[in-house]
Amino acid sequence: MRQIAALPYRIEPDGSARVMLITSRGTGRWVVPKGNPIKGLDPHRAAAHEAYEEAGISGIACPTAIGRFRYAKQLKNGRVRIARVDVFPLSFVSQADEWPEQDERDFRWFTLPDAAAAVAEPELRAIITGFRAPEISMGIGTRLLTRIRRLSSEKSSMLRWFQALMPKQGRFFELFEDHAATLVAGADALAQLLEGSDTMAVHCREIFTREQEADDITREVLQDVRRTFITPFDRSAITGLIGSMDDAIDQMNQTAKAITLYEVTEFRPQMRDMGGIIVEAARITAEAIPLLRSLGTNAGRLHELTERLVRIEGHADEIHDAGLKALFKAQKQEDGQGSPMGFIVGREIYGHLEKIVDRFEDVANEIQGLVIDHA
């Protein structure tokens, strides 16, 4: 039998992740909010519904599952069936004061290691463990030995090793991480903006502010590239990575501007789904960027993260195409001869959302290039 589940999570100020688990009604075991598919709801929306029913959680669900686990489900007639559960990340927004199963279950926020130890299913334990890699503490020796510059025909092997071992100037890694934080904040604000509410203006201002912060960070990176003699990667790799990251927040800004300009207050389900993918893409990027400090040690994890970024970008393309088709049909039904302006506005918003996800794929490609050349 098939089921769906949500993995509610929140990112702490120090960058660590916490996930919420709830107790099952029958055995009191720690589990994730889960249930059967709901007719008329996409799987990730059904998972979000279960999270509200069982824990009062409201959040932004990613339409792309993060993994699948199996468990033995006991039916009312005493029989046991193997359930296969697709798990969808759910970025925490709020918790209600009251919810349907409030008196039937307990809930708790866990660190990832504690949550993995609390659940019984091995595959679910692996999903939780791999949700966010632990921070790696490195000494200066490890940092210097793992920073090998990109291979190029212009530089000799001896010079490349010399550059890898030399102390690096500039604040490149810190600035990359600061920029990734603006992506996370901007993506969260955009996803909440696409839900449509009385606070839309607040979310737009948040995006505009984050985009300005990102521009300042990008400018500082480019200044460091010009004034730093020894850089951790090729200058073109540094500018390519920060440029792709900045393009993502720029497109978020363009989306918010278009929504404000055309006074759009209602958004189609596919637009909100793309918002969920953008939140997940920003979360993955924020995890991947600090791992660049030690490419050799983190090459495997970086490959996993960039692979997921590319995969969710493909899913976003499918959602974009389905959304445009649904928009065209809806506008045609509202007016027998079609409603060109409504379709044009909707298509522009879809276009901006697609470009945001495309820019995150560019970030993934830049990171993959660094791994190939330096790990």
Side-chain angles (χ1 to χ4, degrees):
M1 61 184 297
R2 297 290 300 275
Q3 289 191 317
I4 44 82
L7 183 65
Y9 73 90
R10 68 187 189 202
I11 304 299
E12 301 297 318
D14 63 359
S16 63
R18 288 183 178 267
V19 296
M20 176 185 282
L21 300 180
I22 61 172
T23 54
S24 65
R25 285 184 292 193
T27 63
R29 295 184 303 109
W30 288 109
V31 296
V32 290
K34 65 181 185 301
N36 296 322
I38 301 174
K39 186 176 181 180
L41 286 183
D42 291 330
H44 65 289
R45 295 195 178 278
H49 178 80
E50 292 295 334
Y52 173 77
E53 291 263 320
E54 298 176 2
I57 292 295
S58 295
I60 303 162
C62 176
T64 307
I66 198 169
R68 175 183 295 175
F69 72 94
R70 293 169 292 179
Y71 77 102
K73 179 176 178 60
Q74 179 140 15
L75 306 179
K76 293 181 180 179
N77 60 12
R79 295 178 59 194
V80 174
R81 292 188 64 186
I82 298 299
R84 293 173 176 82
V85 188
D86 290 323
V87 182
F88 297 89
L90 182 71
S91 176
F92 173 79
V93 173
S94 63
Q95 187 174 27
D97 294 329
E98 297 180 355
W99 58 90
E101 299 181 17
Q102 186 171 10
D103 298 327
E104 303 174 35
R105 304 175 186 270
D106 293 327
F107 71 89
R108 186 186 304 169
W109 287 100
F110 289 82
T111 63
L112 295 183
D114 289 345
V119 299
E121 298 81 8
E123 292 168 323
L124 178 58
R125 186 178 303 123
I127 291 172
I128 293 173
T129 300
F131 183 71
R132 194 176 187 91
E135 294 293 331
I136 298 176
S137 177
M138 298 174 295
I140 186 65
T142 303
R143 293 185 183 181
L144 294 176
L145 290 174
T146 55
R147 294 175 187 173
I148 303 172
R149 289 180 57 85
R150 181 186 297 247
L151 301 178
S152 63
S153 58
E154 292 80 13
K155 299 181 179 66
S156 69
S157 168
M158 182 176 296
L159 178 59
R160 287 197 299 272
W161 275 103
F162 172 76
Q163 292 169 327
L165 294 171
M166 283 288 292
K168 306 303 185 296
Q169 300 173 353
R171 297 177 53 246
F172 295 108
F173 294 118
E174 291 85 352
L175 293 171
F176 286 151
E177 291 162 21
D178 289 345
H179 199 295
T182 70
L183 293 177
V184 171
D188 287 343
L190 178 61
Q192 294 184 59
L193 173 62
L194 294 172
E195 293 295 325
S197 66
D198 296 337
T199 58
M200 288 180 59
V202 174
H203 300 316
C204 283
R205 285 196 298 271
E206 174 73 5
I207 295 169
F208 299 153
T209 300
R210 296 301 182 176
E211 191 271 340
Q212 291 171 359
E213 292 176 1
D215 281 346
D216 292 339
I217 295 168
T218 301
R219 193 175 303 111
E220 189 169 351
V221 170
L222 297 179
Q223 289 174 351
D224 274 2
V225 167
R226 290 194 295 270
R227 64 194 178 198
T228 301
F229 180 65
I230 299 294
T231 57
F233 313 123
D234 277 353
R235 299 174 193 277
S236 60
I238 292 172
T239 57
L241 177 58
I242 197 65
S244 298
M245 295 171 67
D246 202 52
D247 287 344
I249 191 72
D250 284 345
Q251 284 300 325
M252 295 182 204
N253 189 53
Q254 291 298 319
T255 307
K257 283 185 175 180
I259 290 170
T260 302
L261 174 64
Y262 298 121
E263 299 181 346
V264 181
T265 57
E266 296 182 0
F267 303 93
R268 304 193 66 82
Q270 291 87 350
M271 293 179 181
R272 296 195 293 271
D273 288 349
M274 293 187 74
I277 284 183
I278 291 166
V279 167
E280 177 70 353
R283 179 191 72 80
I284 295 170
T285 300
E287 179 184 348
I289 291 300
L291 302 182
L292 298 179
R293 291 176 179 269
S294 182
L295 281 169
T297 303
N298 299 317
R301 180 60 176 172
L302 285 167
H303 176 72
E304 294 173 0
L305 294 172
T306 53
E307 185 179 40
R308 178 161 172 80
L309 270 176
V310 172
R311 186 166 67 251
I312 65 176
E313 189 278 334
H315 193 183
D317 284 344
E318 296 172 3
I319 295 172
H320 169 269
D321 294 344
L324 276 182
K325 186 173 183 179
L327 177 64
F328 178 76
K329 289 183 177 180
Q331 296 297 336
K332 193 171 183 180
Q333 289 173 356
E334 291 175 7
D335 184 334
Q337 297 180 346
S339 179
M341 184 54 66
F343 179 77
I344 291 171
V345 171
R347 184 176 62 180
E348 181 172 342
I349 294 174
Y350 273 121
H352 287 307
L353 293 172
E354 183 185 33
K355 289 176 183 177
I356 297 171
V357 186
D358 287 345
R359 299 295 79 78
F360 277 112
E361 185 184 27
D362 292 341
V363 172
N365 292 335
E366 293 289 343
I367 292 173
Q368 285 177 340
L370 287 172
V371 173
I372 291 170
D373 289 342
H374 294 271

